[in-house]
Amino acid sequence: PRREVSFDQMAQGKARREAMSLCDSVEAQQREISFLKGELSKQEFLLSSLEPWKDLDQPLDRLETRSAQVILAVLPLEVSLEELVSAGEEAELGAYFAQISEDLQQRYLAAVCHREKASGVWDLLRQRGASRASFPGMKGTAAENMEACRSQMADLEESLKAAQGMLEGFGGQIDLLREAYDATQMAIETAKAAGFRVAGVYDVTAEKDQAELQRICDYYIRSYEELVE
């Protein structure tokens, strides 16, 4: 049952103002939740991208020196390490190939070579279907970055839980929204009784009441853009 509200309280529009403030708070909390979920997805993707390289002990920000370069490559599983070593020796690239890991479809390799031979080594890998792996801006090893990623995810999950709890807490103020709807309906009916024509504008917060609003309004638009079309 709805609580009783006096006509004066309705007429003053206090319920509408408080309801709008509540809606603003709900929308802000929803934006925060969407942001946190997006950040969490980014960290989950980063963690999965780093997983194949967790046993690489070379820091990701130190893959190049004045004389040497480490190329990280992802190759189809059918390309064997022996094939790469043989092709590298035949082309006299002087490269060292090391498999870091593999899964059901791909193998993850690190190729160490002289900087002057780097383009030749990459051509050899590329011709065998390789794609290059890179982690710009990262410092430390893949394992260290994975640990930092997990820590960041834990913080995000905690913040997300708190934000969702706060959003659920707004449910206890449902009477305020009901009163605002009643006040709005009363204002429409009062205006129509006085001879005014009433226009309604769609709002997602009153989605379930759209049919009733369209019934009592003389005009109803989904967006203000319709006024200039």
Side-chain angles (χ1 to χ4, degrees):
R2 301 190 183 190
R3 64 182 182 181
E4 292 186 4
V5 179
S6 70
F7 177 83
D8 287 342
Q9 288 176 308
M10 285 282 194
Q12 289 172 4
K14 181 180 179 182
R16 287 198 302 275
R17 291 193 296 272
E18 291 179 345
M20 288 303 297
S21 177
L22 175 59
C23 288
D24 288 343
S25 297
V26 169
E27 289 176 357
Q29 206 60 34
Q30 289 175 326
R31 287 195 296 271
E32 176 68 9
I33 288 172
S34 295
F35 170 77
L36 291 170
K37 286 182 176 180
E39 291 299 303
L40 193 56
S41 294
K42 290 178 185 177
Q43 292 299 318
E44 289 171 344
F45 177 77
L46 179 57
L47 187 63
S48 65
S49 299
L50 288 166
E51 175 67 27
W53 307 100
K54 63 183 180 182
D55 293 329
L56 178 68
D57 56 9
Q58 182 71 15
L60 298 175
D61 56 323
R62 296 176 60 188
L63 297 180
E64 293 187 32
T65 67
R66 290 182 178 179
S67 59
Q69 184 171 341
V70 179
I71 298 173
L72 304 182
V74 183
L75 286 101
L77 196 59
E78 57 267 21
V79 180
S80 68
L81 187 61
E82 291 74 18
E83 176 186 343
L84 291 174
V85 171
S86 177
E89 289 176 349
E90 184 178 343
E92 298 182 344
L93 294 174
Y96 170 74
F97 298 94
Q99 178 168 309
I100 308 302
S101 67
E102 69 177 50
D103 55 31
L104 295 177
Q105 295 180 316
Q106 301 173 126
R107 64 177 78 252
Y108 302 82
L109 300 176
V112 184
C113 62
H114 195 280
R115 285 180 64 91
E116 293 181 355
K117 298 288 187 177
S119 61
V121 172
W122 173 240
D123 283 342
L124 183 149
L125 293 167
R126 181 175 52 79
Q127 289 164 9
R128 287 161 176 77
S131 59
R132 199 158 188 163
S134 63
F135 301 94
M138 284 195 175
K139 296 183 178 182
T141 65
E144 290 169 343
N145 280 279
M146 289 176 70
E147 186 61 31
C149 191
R150 291 191 185 97
S151 177
Q152 180 72 9
M153 287 173 64
D155 290 342
L156 287 168
E157 286 170 351
E158 186 175 337
S159 297
L160 180 59
K161 184 178 179 180
Q164 289 172 330
M166 187 173 294
L167 183 63
E168 291 172 3
F170 289 135
Q173 303 181 57
I174 190 66
D175 281 343
L176 187 60
L177 297 177
R178 287 172 176 165
E179 290 168 17
Y181 176 78
D182 290 343
T184 301
Q185 188 172 22
M186 185 187 75
I188 291 172
E189 292 172 351
T190 300
K192 287 174 71 71
F196 293 99
R197 299 183 72 79
V198 178
V201 183
Y202 169 82
D203 190 280
V204 68
T205 58
E207 179 67 43
K208 66 183 183 64
D209 299 312
Q210 297 307 303
E212 176 63 13
L213 290 171
Q214 290 182 54
R215 184 187 68 78
I216 62 178
C217 291
D218 297 297
Y219 307 101
Y220 189 83
I221 59 176
R222 301 282 300 182
S223 167
Y224 287 110
E225 293 178 358
E226 292 181 28
L227 298 175
V228 296
E229 289 180 351

